[in-house]
Amino acid sequence: MVRATIKAEPHPLAIDLDRAALIIIDMQRDFLEPGGFGAALGNDVTLLAAAIGPCKAVLDAARARGMLVIHTREGHRPDLSDAPPLKVERGDPAMRIGARGPMGRILIRGEAGHDIIAALYPIDGEPVIDKPGKGAFYQTDLELMLRNRGIETLFVCGVTTEICVNTTVREANDRGFRCIVLSDCCASYFPQFHEIGLAMIKAQGGILGWVSDAASAAAAIYTATAKSGRAA
Ligand code: TIU
């Protein structure tokens, strides 16, 4: 057990870093780069870029410690058999899920746009969860992976704050996992939804989890590692 105290809201919390994992939600080209799913929905994708540097800082700390790092990707099979028709039918037919865009078919597994951005690309040993929904637990083996590793706490990063991050935090909370959402490692196409999405998590004494930031999380991880050595 390696205790670390994380500066967070609504209050600092002590966790066992040996039972913590980093989960990076959907930092895919389809959401962060022009010509993908995010842009097809009419969004300004440049708003998500602010989360990349902070995510990388925490990713570096987690890797240095040998912490479990899990990446997720939202997307569907090429035949769309795992995509609910109601999800596919929304929006301009020329820019829907499965339509061909500059980064390949939109939100389809195996296409360039579905891949994780270069700056945060997974390395060997980091599981990648392909998820058909907004929540990372829905129709995936994420819970099995976390239980097999005895994980209790998740540091949560990614996009978008109010959609896939929030849904995943809610799913994790109901399954008994402690979530620490890193505010500057998350972003939304709607800055006000980012703020409200974080506020909803930490309100009511941390009804869904805690909110911290990249610097606080990385500092706690590096400090614990310096004292105790690598966990892995
Ligand atoms: N990953 C994720 O949040 N999927 C979305 O579709 N988000 C939007 O904000 N559209």
Side-chain angles (χ1 to χ4, degrees):
M1 169 181 286
V2 176
R3 295 298 269 185
T5 300
I6 316 290
K7 198 174 129 210
E9 293 181 330
H11 56 74
L13 77 164
I15 63 163
D16 179 359
L17 268 187
D18 283 346
R19 292 182 176 274
L22 171 64
I23 182 163
I24 305 182
I25 310 279
D26 301 356
M27 290 297 277
Q28 295 161 256
R29 300 183 65 194
D30 254 324
F31 294 106
L32 285 114
E33 296 184 13
F37 184 56
L41 296 171
N43 297 305
D44 173 3
V45 295
T46 63
L47 287 164
L48 304 191
I52 299 172
C55 276
K56 183 64 167 58
V58 178
L59 182 59
D60 287 345
R63 284 174 175 166
R65 177 158 181 78
M67 186 184 282
L68 175 64
V69 175
I70 295 177
H71 305 259
T72 73
R73 299 185 295 202
E74 181 179 351
H76 297 283
R77 295 169 182 258
D79 64 3
L80 296 180
S81 56
D82 61 350
L86 276 176
K87 183 177 180 185
V88 176
E89 286 162 10
R90 268 173 261 179
D92 177 352
M95 298 164 89
R96 282 178 185 166
I97 295 168
R100 206 159 283 286
M103 293 191 289
R105 293 180 67 205
I106 292 173
L107 220 61
I108 299 297
R109 293 178 191 164
E111 302 287 342
H114 180 259
D115 214 349
I116 291 171
I117 59 168
L120 301 175
Y121 210 76
I123 60 173
D124 280 353
E126 295 177 352
V128 178
I129 302 270
D130 279 325
K131 64 188 185 64
K134 304 306 183 196
F137 289 86
Y138 178 65
Q139 300 288 346
T140 73
D141 49 10
L142 174 59
E143 182 171 359
L144 181 63
M145 281 185 196
L146 298 176
R147 303 255 183 242
N148 284 343
R149 292 282 293 258
I151 299 298
E152 298 170 345
T153 301
L154 299 174
F155 289 101
V156 186
C157 300
V159 296
T160 60
T161 316
E162 80 280 14
I163 305 291
C164 291
V165 171
N166 228 279
T167 305
T168 299
V169 167
R170 286 162 191 264
E171 290 180 330
N173 186 64
D174 279 348
R175 286 166 174 79
F177 296 103
R178 182 189 292 114
C179 287
I180 306 173
V181 181
L182 304 180
S183 56
D184 48 349
C185 299
C186 300
S188 170
Y189 302 118
F190 303 87
Q192 70 274 33
F193 291 174
H194 173 76
E195 293 304 327
I196 290 289
L198 297 173
M200 288 191 315
I201 288 164
K202 68 184 176 185
Q204 305 183 61
I207 188 86
L208 295 172
W210 283 259
V211 175
S212 184
D213 54 50
S216 301
I221 295 167
Y222 281 125
T223 302
T225 307
K227 279 187 196 156
S228 66
R230 278 170 182 245

